[in-house]
Amino acid sequence: MNLTYYGHACFLLEAGGSKVLFDPFIRHNPLAQDVDVDKIEADFILLSHGHGDHVGDVEEIGQRTGADLLGMVEVLGWFGQKGLKATYAMNLGGTVKLPFGSVKMVAAAHSSSMPDGSYGGLAAGFVIETEGKTFYFAGDTALTYDMKIIGEQHQLDFAILPVGGHYTMGVADALIAADWTGATKVIGMHYDTFPPLVINHDEAKNQAQQAGKELVLLSIGETITF
């Protein structure tokens, strides 16, 4: 199982014979200009919410690849009107079985609207089970007690959490979230893209180490294998 980071909150999961793209925002990410969007393939595109910095490249990649979209009902309705495959329109608490494993939609504490300002439903995160591993993709969120439910229901191998602060939780709250969800390995996202999100990498990693966690801050384009 491989996980490639394309910046901000965009990851490509390769598992179970499928390519699963999360929250594609690449072309307008100033830090991801070396990524060739035209070469990114996807069988599924998972969307945590409707903000432009999470759905910016959905239409282009979705049209080119024919990927099935998964996300909140309102988000998928918006993209369905654009002719994309809005196959898995979900809501909080729902689980779907897909060729690579299962996806459960869980709560996130964040706002959501579409790029044109229309209603985007509720923001969400995902718990993914694939190839014998389980991980949590939090999406954009504040620290919330709902994360304790994830720790009670699942045994996580790792968690992908926002650490940039300002619009989401920062490093300190992400480490609490890791405690509550039972994750000892945290892959950071939603940091450095814009000036308010810039973090000190060394300080963040030291803070995580002191909390008994491993914080991984991937370079854009970097792939890790589990």
Side-chain angles (χ1 to χ4, degrees), residues 177-220:
D179 260 343
W180 289 355
T181 59
T184 57
K185 187 183 189 77
V186 174
I187 298 173
M189 67 172 174
H190 213 275
Y191 62 93
D192 287 355
T193 315
F194 311 112
L197 306 184
V198 174
I199 65 172
N200 184 306
H201 290 210
D202 290 337
E203 287 182 4
K205 290 179 181 179
N206 288 337
Q207 192 175 349
Q209 187 175 25
Q210 291 171 8
K213 309 293 182 186
E214 178 189 4
L215 174 60
V216 179
L217 301 174
L218 296 170
S219 300
I220 294 177

Side-chain angles (χ1 to χ4, degrees), residues 54-110:
H54 292 257
V55 304
D57 298 310
V58 172
E59 188 171 358
E60 176 186 345
I61 296 174
Q63 295 283 13
R64 174 172 55 79
T65 64
D68 291 298
L69 272 56
L70 182 152
M72 188 61 66
V73 173
E74 290 83 358
V75 174
L76 261 64
W78 195 81
F79 281 111
Q81 291 178 354
K82 294 177 174 291
L84 275 72
K85 294 171 67 175
T87 310
Y88 300 99
M90 301 177 64
N91 215 309
L92 301 182
T95 301
V96 294
K97 301 289 185 181
L98 298 172
F100 62 89
S102 68
V103 178
K104 181 177 183 179
M105 181 175 279
V106 296
H110 194 72

Side-chain angles (χ1 to χ4, degrees), residues 162-177:
V163 296
H166 197 82
Y167 300 110
T168 68
M169 59 186 177
V171 174
D173 280 355
L175 294 174
I176 296 172

